[in-house]
Amino acid sequence: MNQNTKISKVQLAEAIVQIVGAQNLIIDEETQKPYECDGLSVYCEMPLLVVLPDNKEQVQAVMVLCHQQGVPVVARGTGTGLCAGAMPDKDGIILSLAKLSRILEIDPEARTARLEPGVRNLAISEAASEFGLYYAPDPSSQIACTIGGNVAENSGGVHCLKYGLTVHNILALEVITVTGEVLQVGGSGLDNAGYDLMALMIGSEGLLGVVTEISVKLLPQPEKAQVVMAAFDDVQKAGNAVTAVISEGIIPAGLEMMDSHAIVAAEDFAKAGYPTEAKALLLCEVDGSLEEVQEHIQSVEKLFFEQGAFSCKKSGSEAERAQLWKGRKSAFPAVGRISPDYYCMDGTIPRSQLAHVLLEIDKMSDAYGLRVANVFHAGDGNLHPLILFDANVPGELEKTEEFGAKILELSVDVGGCITGEHGVGKEKIRQMHKQFNDTELTQFHAIKYAFDPLALLNPGKGIPELKRCQEYRSIDSAAE
Amino acid sequence: MSDISETLVKQVSSAFKQSTPLKIIAGGSKAFIGREAQGEPLNVSEHKGIVSYHPSELVMTARCGTSMTEIQQTLAENGQYCPFESALFDGAATLGGTLATNLSGPARPWNGSIRDAVIGTRLINGKGEYLKFGGQVMKNVAGYDVSRLQAGALGTLGVITEISFKVLPLPAASGTVVLAMNASEAIKLMNQVSAKAVPVSGSAWLDGNLYLRYSGATKAVDSALKQFKTKNFQQLEPQQADEFWSAMNEQKLDFFKGEAPLWRFSLKSNATHLLDDQNWLIDWGGAQRWLRGDFNQSELEQQAQHSGGQVSLFRYGERSNEVNHTLSEVQKKIHKNLKASFDPKQILNPGRLYSWL
Ligand SMILES: Cc1cc2nc3c(=O)[nH]c(=O)nc-3n(C[C@H](O)[C@H](O)[C@H](O)COP(=O)(O)OP(=O)(O)OC[C@H]3O[C@@H](n4cnc5c(N)ncnc54)[C@H](O)[C@@H]3O)c2cc1C
């Protein structure tokens, strides 16, 4: 049991049933099983209980109870996270926000939507489309992942190069604090008085509070969007082409890259018309007014040929555009079919380092004897090397993890970071030491302490424990 | 070009040891913002210079005391600019002060603020510890976003010494039209304009005129301006247009003259026009509204809240009381805890943001 916990599982279950009703509580292990991990299934743990509140009043009451009883709380959207962020705590509850899935309001004039946290990412744009509007951040998991999860991870997507990440597209949050109080963050204007708590909450991985309502910005759908697919016989050339586009003064709506393993797998899966002989593929989307798109698409295509592309294809219709993206958007599951398991890394590097880092990864791939498929957000230097392995082969997972850690360290060494959009969670907690020193990590703990002094929210995630911090805590509580 | 970070760290460390309150100063261009606060001056203006800039990465890193004018000039030489278009205040505005106050120009609703552009910082916390957060890449979700947290914190969480931020290519073309209408009509049209996929980059209303600016690819700007052909409008000459937007941003229009209290409302962009008989300037497509004159602060706060927003006393007026919008009890508690986590002895610009912070 957690050192703070004051209550047994049975007692806790009884108290929670009073709040959410028996139908919203999962006690038995078999029904709990789907909640033992998120999208990164190599990290599993069974929770004490799984609670699925219907509304925010129930969330609040559950938080008050858990705080009183010292029970850890791990918030959960739909569990598509890729860093074991929503992995349960064995002494705590999983607080699923999936049932809070109503779109509360769309204001087409002000271009905003007010949402419950369990609304799926894609559902926002679907609902806004009747007004000619959409929600820009579009993670590849958008059919399934929730806006609450997006906020907690600061999720990105293929269109974030031009339209920003989650942090650039949120106006307001309603947060239930660890003590069950309601904290309003942001507002319906653009700037607000006081600290930018929004910046802290977004990407905080459920460590600072539970988000129960979200106001997002909606953007007008562009008049036109067109994509160019360029094939290269060399990864380095494709990497340089990415830098060339940005240097030209064009900000594409999306600029994505795939390497040969990924191309073959995606083509096999989605039949998108990708040239399977290519060593690297770039997908570059330009959007805006008709005239603007025409102008930019021409320059991009010209640039790609100058940079050594052996073929280019432009989407001629919306259907063709969707087809070209389909391969990219389904690349993860596609790669899942060519290997028993894969491990997705998420380092970000300065664009100029693309070709160098890809080459290094290639060398490591040979040294470890593990194949790597690269599918990633090239425009903002966010790599997603997928290491292919077989968990049933003894030692292969460990080897994969070591290889993955090396990639992240390389990312930091060339001036980048260990995670661009998937988060730290349980998974990258050790690599945090590579990116931050102990003083910086202590500052993170102090921030956590400002919101959650008993560390009941998503314990063991995000920030590695330090000896020094424990001291800091004991000094602080002695002072109280 | 000089790096005085070591000296600054020493100064903050010794202030921490002696519990001496510090008043952080750079160009002094925005001394009027926030509350009047006391403290030993900590001058950071000599910590200046562009540390790195690679145009193809669209990222610049510079020290806090670097003037925004120098930054803009360097960017312009490479066909780029700061998308947040912050005020230059006759060359006195520095990068650090711009982040600490989070002031943005007319394109804020479409291009974002410096808060949106910042991707990394170095800062000295109230214990004199020198910390680095974020870096030079656009996407980074490791740890809490301490860099963005500095935006608008008025230096109360740390002495910001270095900032990395995202820049953009300069738009190929720009054009401004002026249409005569009243404030309510303007608010409506501002929202309609923003709901279309056209590259609008400014929309402001003053003295019975709506000013609309478009920036982007030449053909896109041309076609956006063309739609006003049938309406009663005036297109400004490029120089005239630049002068107007700059004078508004630098607060040099007649509207900003004199010492009457200047109130800044941050509202939902389509909020109904308030106090019709008063002197207003509406900016940011309706989301930022300036009001001049003597008013009861709590009454204004109620009005703002009713419209889903906030109001602060931006400049002039009584500055020893609170000037920023009242926070809720829960918000207050989190603010105090956060302040303690960065600055346990409350030595960094104490009282500048709120009297109790
Ligand atoms: C095939 C695939 C493709 C993906 N593509 C992308 C991509 O392109 N870009 C990208 O950024 N990510 C991507 N992801 C990762 C993942 O989808 C995102 O991180 C997503 O935001 C997680 O949402 P979720 O609802 O599944 O959250 P979960 O996985 O359930 O939770 C994620 C984290 O958020 C916390 N959390 C959830 N809800 C709340 C709440 N209401 N309040 C507080 N904390 C909360 C949890 O505690 C956990 O730490 C992908 C995942 C998969 C499986």
Side-chain angles (χ1 to χ4, degrees):
Chain A
M1 275 271 158
N2 180 290
Q3 51 176 354
N4 298 309
T5 312
K6 300 168 189 156
I7 191 171
S8 74
K9 176 173 170 169
V10 177
Q11 287 171 319
L12 184 64
E14 278 168 4
I16 289 179
V17 165
Q18 299 294 316
I19 301 168
V20 300
Q23 74 285 4
N24 288 348
L25 177 67
I26 306 176
I27 306 177
D28 71 289
E29 288 205 1
E30 201 182 323
T31 325
Q32 280 184 356
K33 196 75 180 158
Y35 295 90
E36 70 174 350
C37 64
D38 64 5
L40 182 61
S41 57
V42 298
Y43 292 92
C44 291
E45 184 78 82
M46 291 299 285
L48 218 52
L49 298 168
V50 176
V51 187
L52 300 107
D54 283 319
N55 54 51
K56 64 183 170 209
E57 290 72 27
Q58 292 180 357
V59 173
Q60 206 175 352
V62 169
M63 294 302 288
V64 170
L65 173 72
C66 289
H67 185 252
Q68 279 165 358
Q69 302 299 337
V71 176
V73 176
V74 178
R76 184 181 175 103
T78 37
T80 67
L82 291 174
C83 64
M87 186 193 87
D89 184 274
K90 70 175 176 10
D91 301 319
I93 64 161
I94 282 286
L95 184 65
S96 166
L97 283 310
K99 286 195 176 178
L100 278 73
S101 59
R102 285 178 306 162
I103 293 177
L104 299 170
E105 184 194 354
I106 292 184
D107 181 340
E109 195 187 36
R111 293 145 282 117
T112 60
R114 213 154 53 79
L115 314 158
E116 289 189 331
V119 173
R120 289 173 306 107
N121 174 294
L122 189 60
I124 309 169
S125 292
E126 282 170 354
S129 73
E130 68 171 288
F131 307 108
L133 302 169
Y134 75 111
Y135 175 64
D138 56 343
S140 306
S141 50
Q142 69 184 146
I143 308 171
C145 66
T146 65
I147 185 70
N150 292 172
V151 166
E153 300 290 9
N154 191 15
S155 299
V158 298
H159 287 94
C160 286
L161 181 58
K162 185 167 174 184
Y163 299 105
L165 306 161
T166 304
V167 70
H168 301 106
N169 289 280
I170 304 288
L171 285 167
L173 299 177
E174 179 190 80
V175 178
I176 306 293
T177 67
V178 71
T179 51
E181 291 172 296
V182 180
L183 172 67
Q184 292 295 341
V185 174
S188 45
L190 296 171
D191 289 337
N192 297 283
Y195 294 146
D196 194 335
L197 300 181
M198 183 68 77
L200 268 192
M201 286 307 305
I202 294 184
S204 64
E205 305 191 6
L207 271 81
L208 303 181
V210 175
V211 178
T212 49
E213 197 178 299
I214 297 135
S215 295
V216 303
K217 294 182 194 171
L218 300 174
L219 297 182
Q221 288 166 347
E223 200 171 47
K224 187 177 167 71
Q226 198 174 6
V227 58
V228 195
M229 173 182 76
F232 295 82
D233 59 9
D234 175 60
V235 173
Q236 193 129 10
K237 285 183 196 163
N240 294 337
V242 169
T243 308
V245 171
I246 305 288
S247 303
E248 186 70 12
I250 297 172
I251 305 289
L255 181 49
E256 301 280 308
M257 181 160 158
M258 293 195 244
D259 74 358
S260 54
H261 285 311
I263 298 166
V264 173
E267 178 56 21
D268 206 34
F269 186 80
K271 306 279 179 296
Y274 294 168
T276 46
E277 71 278 19
K279 287 277 179 294
L281 200 67
L282 289 180
L283 286 171
C284 179
E285 181 161 297
V286 176
D287 68 8
S289 67
L290 289 174
E291 300 89 348
E292 195 177 359
V293 173
Q294 238 170 22
E295 197 173 309
H296 284 164
I297 277 284
Q298 271 170 7
S299 336
V300 169
E301 194 181 25
K302 187 162 158 272
L303 261 175
F304 283 157
F305 279 125
E306 281 168 15
Q307 296 292 324
F310 68 77
S311 78
C312 278
K313 183 178 170 186
K314 281 181 291 196
S315 61
S317 64
E318 267 308 289
E320 259 181 55
R321 186 175 78 90
Q323 189 66 14
L324 286 174
W325 277 119
K326 191 174 163 210
R328 166 61 187 92
K329 291 215 169 182
S330 54
F332 288 13
V335 167
R337 299 205 315 176
I338 61 166
S339 168
D341 300 284
Y342 69 86
Y343 203 119
C344 175
M345 307 313 296
D346 179 43
T348 300
I349 57 170
R351 260 186 304 268
S352 58
Q353 299 289 330
L354 267 179
H356 165 68
V357 170
L358 291 176
L359 222 62
E360 288 301 307
I361 294 179
D362 233 23
K363 283 187 207 158
M364 286 194 256
S365 164
D366 287 342
Y368 280 97
L370 293 169
R371 288 178 299 163
V372 177
N374 278 297
V375 195
F376 57 92
H377 312 300
D380 30 38
N382 188 190
L383 303 179
H384 286 327
L386 305 173
I387 307 174
L388 311 186
F389 72 105
D390 185 347
N392 288 322
V393 176
E396 204 156 293
L397 172 61
E398 291 71 22
K399 208 160 72 167
T400 302
E401 287 184 316
E402 190 186 307
F403 181 7
K406 286 254 164 68
I407 297 179
L408 299 189
E409 283 167 22
L410 175 64
S411 304
V412 176
D413 287 338
V414 300
C417 69
I418 60 173
T419 172
E421 59 182 17
H422 294 167
V424 175
K426 170 104 187 139
E427 182 209 8
K428 297 177 202 75
I429 204 128
R430 276 199 307 273
Q431 281 79 44
M432 284 293 281
H433 291 288
K434 176 78 185 175
Q435 198 174 323
F436 299 100
N437 66 31
D438 282 5
T439 321
E440 287 148 1
L441 293 173
T442 306
Q443 181 65 62
F444 285 148
H445 278 289
I447 293 170
K448 163 82 171 167
Y449 188 86
F451 285 81
D452 177 22
L454 299 177
L456 289 177
L457 295 172
N458 214 358
K461 315 281 178 62
I463 320 289
E465 250 334 299
L466 298 168
K467 252 200 148 134
R468 247 182 89 179
C469 297
Q470 285 157 3
E471 283 162 22
Y472 160 84
R473 274 209 200 99
S474 57
I475 293 169
D476 212 82
S477 49
E480 271 176 15
Chain B
M1 195 65 185
S2 65
D3 180 350
I4 60 159
S5 55
E6 261 179 56
T7 317
L8 293 174
V9 171
K10 271 188 207 141
Q11 283 173 302
V12 178
S13 294
S14 85
F16 173 64
K17 283 188 198 106
Q18 287 149 26
S19 303
T20 315
L22 295 173
K23 187 171 171 177
I24 309 164
I25 303 171
S29 68
K30 294 179 271 289
F32 61 84
I33 291 181
R35 299 179 65 256
E36 277 165 12
Q38 309 303 320
E40 285 278 304
L42 177 75
N43 196 321
V44 299
S45 58
E46 282 310 305
H47 190 62
K48 61 183 175 199
I50 293 169
V51 178
S52 79
Y53 171 43
H54 304 287
S56 72
E57 293 287 336
L58 299 177
V59 173
M60 179 182 269
T61 300
R63 298 194 183 100
C64 60
T66 317
S67 83
M68 287 309 296
T69 309
E70 180 188 340
I71 288 174
Q72 289 215 347
Q73 277 165 0
T74 309
L75 290 171
E77 283 160 19
N78 291 278
Q80 299 184 340
Y81 78 127
C82 291
F84 44 87
E85 293 185 315
S86 56
L88 302 176
F89 292 116
D90 297 320
T94 63
L95 178 60
T98 301
L99 178 61
T101 53
N102 193 30
L103 291 189
S104 323
R108 165 75 176 95
W110 306 277
N111 287 356
S113 59
I114 186 171
R115 173 265 194 197
D116 293 310
V118 64
I119 53 178
T121 49
R122 274 174 189 272
L123 59 97
I124 309 166
N125 69 12
K127 293 190 270 184
E129 293 167 340
Y130 201 19
L131 312 168
K132 178 172 179 284
F133 298 100
Q136 303 200 329
V137 288
M138 305 292 167
K139 293 171 79 174
N140 184 348
V141 294
Y144 304 118
D145 195 344
V146 175
S147 301
R148 288 205 169 92
L149 179 64
Q150 304 311 316
L154 293 181
T156 59
L157 297 176
V159 180
I160 309 160
T161 60
E162 199 176 292
I163 299 167
S164 297
F165 58 99
K166 184 181 161 175
V167 302
L168 282 183
L170 272 166
S174 182
T176 297
V177 289
V178 188
L179 301 117
M181 63 186 72
N182 68 34
S184 296
E185 291 164 342
I187 291 168
K188 201 165 176 65
L189 190 60
M190 282 170 165
N191 280 280
Q192 282 168 0
V193 162
S194 296
K196 290 202 199 105
V198 286
V200 50
S201 66
S203 83
W205 178 89
L206 176 71
D207 294 336
N209 286 314
L210 171 65
Y211 296 76
L212 287 176
R213 180 177 71 168
Y214 295 90
S215 312
T218 312
K219 285 178 180 166
V221 171
D222 287 348
S223 83
L225 295 174
K226 235 189 280 164
Q227 55 169 325
F228 293 101
K229 279 270 146 67
T230 52
K231 300 195 180 115
N232 180 18
F233 85 107
Q234 177 204 351
Q235 182 166 349
L236 296 185
E237 291 301 319
Q239 194 192 338
Q240 245 183 327
D242 286 350
E243 276 168 14
F244 170 76
W245 292 108
S246 155
M248 187 177 74
N249 199 15
E250 304 289 339
Q251 303 205 333
K252 286 187 172 166
L253 291 173
D254 285 344
F255 176 88
F256 293 103
K257 296 221 166 97
E259 307 240 316
L262 173 64
W263 304 89
R264 179 193 190 204
F265 285 73
S266 179
L267 304 177
K268 196 169 189 181
S269 62
N270 61 349
T272 311
H273 184 49
L274 305 169
L275 309 169
D276 196 27
D277 53 345
Q278 298 297 327
N279 189 13
W280 289 93
L281 191 169
I282 303 174
D283 192 10
W284 291 2
Q288 174 169 260
R289 304 185 192 178
W290 301 96
L291 171 69
R292 296 302 306 260
D294 285 303
F295 293 92
N296 177 305
Q297 190 163 357
S298 58
E299 277 170 24
L300 285 188
E301 283 199 357
Q302 269 171 25
Q303 297 230 17
Q305 245 157 308
H306 190 71
S307 309
Q310 300 192 334
V311 60
S312 291
L313 177 56
F314 187 79
R315 191 171 192 171
Y316 308 116
E318 176 56 56
R319 309 204 73 81
S320 54
N321 297 335
E322 300 300 353
V323 296
N324 285 310
H325 194 91
T326 311
L327 298 183
S328 74
E329 285 309 309
V330 184
Q331 288 170 330
K332 240 174 162 172
K333 188 166 75 182
I334 296 286
H335 272 70
K336 284 181 182 168
N337 291 352
L338 261 183
K339 169 77 172 169
S341 78
F342 281 89
D343 180 19
K345 289 193 180 170
Q346 301 213 30
I347 59 167
L348 301 176
N349 281 350
R352 181 88 191 260
L353 197 54
Y354 287 99
S355 64
W356 42 267
L357 199 66

